[in-house]
Amino acid sequence: MRISEIIEKLSLKLHTSINDDMEIERGYVSEMLSDVMANCPDESLLVTILSHENVIAVCILKDIKFIILANSRKPNDEMLKKALDEDIVIATAEKNAFQISQSLLELNVR
Amino acid sequence: MLKVYHLEGGNFSEAGSASSDIKKLLKRLGLQSKIIKKVAVAMYEAEINVVAHAYSGDINVVVAKDHIKILVSDKGPGIPDVDKAMTEGFSTASEKVREMGFGAGMGLPNIKKNVDDLNIKTEVGKGTELSMRIDFQH
Ligand SMILES: Nc1ncnc2c1ncn2[C@@H]1O[C@H](COP(=O)(O)OP(=O)(O)OP(=O)(O)O)[C@@H](O)[C@H]1O
Ligand SMILES: [Mg+2]
């Protein structure tokens, strides 16, 4: 499913632009960055409540291009700036990580 | 090729920039993405450990024809029990560091999984020296 479709279907609030509207097939949920480093499949989307710039550093290294912030979290300024620099899409959901994962499963993102 | 980076304890917003610089370099050199990922994970975890647990540190990266060597040395508290520190789940990270998403106790195990050779020299009260090598051919 394309990033823009996921954003629309889950009614997410977009914080960045989408310059490369790529297909995403896999997702990962985590609040621990070394767990993301170890276990997140490449090119997945990441669902998290971590809303600071360290998340972007990890996304660069793991080729993660799309972050969904759960529980209405907003990226801090530095996170947003780095995401814009690196063409990483950030969007916010009102739902929690569990509910977001359920919706993503229905869209065949697993 | 030799690359040198400096790290400051507590400076989390800069952490990861050395590893992403090396990642870009290896990509330009045309290395397999599987190898680049290994280097990125190992180097990032080492970088974060200096920022999270030590006072300051230096990274030296040597890119050779068939391998990469990364030396991360820090001034810091050192590691009293290296075997324990290598155990998945063991962490002394502060509450503040945990809130940022660190402290799962997975960094050193992640490093071990991704490198071909790992050597840790550490002295309590002085600092830690982590040297690792990743081979390009497997
Ligand atoms: N450079 C270092 N200086 C001093 N202590 C260290 C250093 N690196 C690791 N340690 C010690 O080893 C422990 C385990 O390190 P490890 O990287 O596996 O986990 P962590 O850093 O606590 O959490 P995570 O890496 O999952 O975010 C640390 O909590 C710390 O006590
Ligand atoms: Mg660590």
Side-chain angles (χ1 to χ4, degrees):
Chain A
M1 177 133 310
R2 291 192 181 281
I3 293 177
S4 61
E5 294 173 276
I6 296 173
I7 287 175
E8 199 197 308
K9 295 229 154 78
L10 269 66
S11 312
L12 305 179
K13 183 179 178 299
L14 186 62
H15 298 287
T16 58
S17 46
I18 306 173
N19 291 324
D20 179 12
D21 194 8
M22 62 191 278
E23 285 281 338
I24 307 259
E25 287 167 7
R26 311 191 66 181
Y28 198 70
V29 184
S30 187
E31 309 307 333
M32 285 300 202
L33 292 174
S34 55
D35 172 47
V36 177
M37 286 306 269
N39 300 318
C40 178
D42 287 353
E43 287 156 31
S44 311
L45 65 79
L46 175 65
V47 180
T48 186
I49 59 169
L50 296 171
S51 48
H52 55 77
E53 59 272 23
N54 296 298
V55 181
I56 303 298
V58 168
C59 290
I60 294 171
L61 297 172
K62 295 289 282 186
D63 292 325
I64 297 169
K65 298 293 188 189
F66 184 25
I67 303 167
I68 300 179
L69 294 177
N71 294 356
S72 303
R73 292 281 183 130
K74 289 181 191 65
N76 74 13
D77 292 349
E78 195 61 21
M79 180 185 191
L80 188 60
K81 185 174 159 282
K82 289 197 168 154
L84 292 170
D85 285 349
E86 296 289 338
D87 254 346
I88 293 169
V89 179
I90 306 179
T92 291
E94 283 177 15
K95 293 177 174 174
N96 67 33
F98 180 76
Q99 296 161 331
I100 295 167
S101 307
Q102 273 182 316
S103 311
L104 287 169
L105 256 177
E106 284 161 18
L107 298 180
N108 228 359
V109 179
R110 12 197 104 236
Chain B
M1 196 175 325
L2 176 70
K3 288 276 218 169
V4 181
Y5 304 92
H6 181 73
L7 299 168
E8 279 303 320
N11 187 355
F12 283 93
S13 43
E14 281 308 305
S17 58
S19 355
S20 66
D21 192 52
I22 290 296
K23 183 188 175 200
K24 279 174 196 149
L25 173 76
L26 298 183
K27 226 172 173 171
R28 274 204 305 280
L29 294 176
L31 280 163
Q32 265 181 286
S33 70
K34 198 184 87 192
I35 301 287
I36 299 178
K37 282 277 150 55
K38 286 184 176 194
V39 174
V41 172
M43 190 166 159
Y44 176 77
E45 294 290 5
E47 215 180 317
I48 285 291
N49 276 356
V50 174
V51 174
H53 307 297
Y55 316 136
S56 70
D58 290 291
I59 310 181
N60 280 5
V61 183
V62 180
V63 184
K65 226 180 104 198
D66 59 353
H67 68 267
I68 182 168
K69 271 190 182 155
I70 305 164
L71 177 73
V72 183
S73 49
D74 68 56
K75 291 197 183 75
I79 305 176
D81 185 341
V82 174
D83 285 340
K84 211 163 156 187
M86 291 299 302
T87 313
E88 198 159 309
F90 176 83
S91 174
T92 61
S94 66
E95 195 53 43
K96 187 180 149 263
V97 168
R98 284 174 204 268
E99 274 166 21
M100 287 191 279
F102 303 107
M106 292 178 70
L108 289 173
N110 276 358
I111 292 173
K112 193 162 172 63
K113 263 179 246 160
N114 283 286
V115 303
D116 294 291
D117 187 51
L118 172 65
N119 196 346
I120 302 177
K121 272 191 256 166
T122 181
E123 201 176 326
V124 174
K126 288 221 161 126
T128 301
E129 217 178 86
L130 209 82
S131 62
M132 41 204 173
R133 191 195 77 235
I134 293 163
D135 298 330
F136 296 158
Q137 241 86 29
H138 284 281

